């Protein structure tokens, strides 16, 4: 009597040269996968340090980008709370122009130092202010981002001193902020913001 289920057939055996090539290919794939995995585990990316505060009509968001080998870029974004307000140029003198204005400032002190030139993502324009003979340098209305290369000089405590004032041509100016300290800590594990 015939069996209702035919006997399973074995797959044809590959020639020895083909089996050898297949084994080498599998070994190469496993080696590549293990190297990729090791590379990811051995160099974990440092999460960006971030903090923010709001004072006198402006939200300031601070972050540190590309922190490697005790150096990176301090990024400060100044966003006026209301439309139609601008910030003063970083190049404005500390005393303003004829007493008007406060420069936008980002200055590290302590165990962190400046490591290059500051850049700003907006162009400077000049405006006239009633009662002031000279033109006053400001940024266009809205947010402004300042970038400053920094480096750690030693492990420990540092501060970033923030200064700014925002003004509107129709609403007037907010109270200036001078030397608002934000704490930073540098160490073997990288850089982090502390409580201000």
């Amino acid at each position: 009597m015939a069996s209702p289920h035919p006997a399973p057939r074995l797959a044809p055996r590959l020639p020895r040269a083909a089996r050898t090539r297949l084994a080498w290919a599998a070994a190469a794939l496993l080696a590549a996968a293990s190297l990729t995995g090791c590379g990811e585990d051995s160099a974990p990316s440092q999460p960006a340090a971030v903090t923010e505060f709001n004072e006198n009509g402006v939200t300031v968001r601070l972050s540190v980008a590309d922190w490697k080998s005790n150096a990176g870029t301090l990024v400060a974004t100044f966003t006026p709370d209301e439309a139609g307000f601008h910030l003063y140029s970083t190049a404005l003198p500390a005393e303003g122009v004829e007493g008007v204005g406060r420069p936008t400032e980002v200055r590290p002190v302590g165990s962190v130092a400046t490591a290059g030139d500051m850049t700003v993502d907006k162009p400077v324009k000049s405006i006239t202010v009633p009662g002031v003979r000279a033109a006053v340098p400001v940024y266009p209305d809205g947010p402004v981002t300042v970038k400053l290369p920094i480096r750690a000089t030693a492990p420990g405590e540092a501060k970033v001193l923030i200064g700014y004032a925002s003004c509107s041509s129709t609403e007037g100016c907010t109270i200036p902020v001078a030397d608002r300290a934000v704490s930073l800590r540098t160490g073997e594990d990288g850089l982090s913001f502390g409580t201000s």
Side-chain angles (χ1 to χ4, degrees):
M1 178 173 207
S3 170
H5 301 291
R9 290 187 173 185
L10 295 174
R13 189 171 173 102
L14 292 173
R16 182 177 191 159
R19 287 193 317 263
T20 302
R21 282 193 302 269
L22 190 57
W24 278 108
L29 283 172
L30 284 172
S34 67
L35 286 175
T36 302
C38 289
E40 288 173 1
D41 291 340
S42 64
S45 60
Q46 174 75 22
V50 178
T51 192
E52 73 175 41
F53 66 90
N54 182 287
E55 191 172 332
N56 297 355
V58 176
T59 297
V60 180
R61 182 178 192 275
L62 294 168
S63 63
V64 177
D66 304 323
W67 187 257
K68 294 176 191 154
S69 301
N70 294 324
T73 302
L74 180 62
V75 181
T77 300
F78 299 81
T79 305
D81 293 344
E82 296 182 40
F85 278 77
H86 59 262
L87 290 140
Y88 290 95
S89 167
T90 57
L92 186 75
E95 66 280 357
V97 173
E98 297 177 29
V100 172
R102 171 75 176 84
T104 300
E105 183 177 35
V106 177
R107 185 168 42 99
V109 295
S111 64
V112 173
T114 300
D117 294 331
M118 181 182 293
T119 59
V120 183
D121 72 338
K122 298 290 190 300
V124 174
K125 65 178 192 173
S126 295
I127 62 169
T128 56
V129 177
V132 179
R133 292 175 305 228
V136 180
V138 301
Y139 297 112
D141 292 354
V144 174
T145 298
V146 173
K147 293 184 178 181
L148 180 65
I150 59 171
R151 63 181 173 79
T153 56
E157 298 295 327
K159 292 187 184 306
V160 179
L161 301 179
I162 305 293
Y164 59 87
S166 66
C167 276
S168 162
S169 58
T170 58
E171 302 294 321
C173 296
T174 61
I175 297 169
V177 172
D179 293 337
R180 166 54 152 93
V182 176
S183 296
L184 270 178
R185 181 161 192 71
T186 60
E188 292 179 6
D189 296 333
L191 181 144
S192 60
F193 287 105
T195 54
S196 305

